[in-house]
Structure formats: structure tokens, C-alpha cells
Amino acid sequence: MFIDVLSIVGLTVLAGACIPLGGLLASFERIRPNWLEQEFRHFVIALGGGILLGAIAVVFIPEGRSSMGGSLLAIPAILAGGLIFFLIERVLGLKRRESPQLLGVMLDFIPEAAALGGLAVVNTEIALLMALLIALQNLPEGFNAYRELLYLKGHSSRKTLVFMSSLVITGPVAGLFGYFFLSERPVLLGSLMLMASGGILYLIFQDIAPQSRLDRHWGPPLGAVLGFCITLFSHDLVI
């Protein structure tokens, strides 16, 4: 048990560390001319969206449905996830705290880390794959969340990076919750993964895809394709 706990904490910390790492890279990134910097930023947004979409298609929905025994209840679970993410975003938007990239980081990182903890005992290979995918998606999401937070009033570069670093602790907390509470409850674990899938789908098409579009530039959509392929390659590499 101690080894399992140590593994979950280690995997979730490493995956979560990619959030401030992405922010750190964004703090140094300066590209000239300006149009190239804009295209690169939109490419990174689309890359993160492609990785998220791939994670849903390759891991979350297949594993979630499997945990639920192929039940048709998977469909309302996905719909419920989309609705919950919509309500959370709506509440934050009404309070004028809308930060779609940061919201996306936290709303997908926390349930993913919980699912990782729940799967650590059941399926070690899938848990390792999830840790890799969480890290891959947190890097571009952290990159874009840094830029988003930096434009908010009262956010300096140092303050933003410290805040992003503080988010890392949510990973181990969620992972240990999944390990102790979800690993022996496969239906709940599957429901969580499917609800996360629905929520992430909502965020992709509500926030990420619209932000990634850039008139008369084709790099961003190719970034989404690359992100999806990275997920597929990671799956084949680990499994």
C-alpha cells in the first residue's frame, strides 16, 4: 500500500508540475515578428486541445465504459459532465472571473488525477499512460493559462508562477482520494471518467477551439491534429 501511495503522489506531482513549467516557458517565450508569435500561441492552444480530445477518445471513454460494464448509463454520465462544467463556467463568468484556460487546467486535472489514483491498483499501465497524458496536456495549458492570468489586473509574472505552482498540490490530493475511495468502486470510477470526458468536450468547443482559430493561418489546426496523434502514440507506446 505504501508503494502505491508513493507512486500516486509521485505521478500526480510530476504531471501537475507541468502546469507551472508551461507557465515558466511562456514567461521566457518572445518571438519576432509578431505574427509568428501569435501563430505559435494559437498553435499551442490547439495542441493542448488535440491532446485533450485524444485523451477522451483513447483513454477516458473506453476505460470509463469498461468500468461501468458497457452500461448505457455512460451516455447520461457524459451529458452530466458537460452540464456541470457549463454551470461552473457560467458561475465564474457571472462573477467576472472568467479564465477559460485556467478553468480548463483545473477542471480536467483534478478528475483525471482522481481517476489515475483509482486506476493505479486496477490497471497500472493505464495509470502510467494517464500520468503521461496529464503531463502532456498540462504543459500547453499551463503555457496559455500563464498568458491569460498575466493580463488580469494585479498579476505580475512572479505572482502568476507562484499561484500556478500552488495548483500542483491538488493532483496528489485528488489522486489519493481516487486511490482510497474509487479503486474498489469501479462504477463510480467509470462515472467520474465519463463525466470528465463530457466536461472536457464542453471546454474544447466552448473555449479552446474558438481561441485557437487564427484567420489565414493553418498552423493551429495542424497543432490539434498533432496533439491527437501524440496521444495515440503515447497510448501505443505504453500499452
Side-chain angles (χ1 to χ4, degrees), residues 6 68 130 141 150:
L6 200 61
M68 295 184 71
M130 285 189 65
E141 284 184 333
L150 200 61

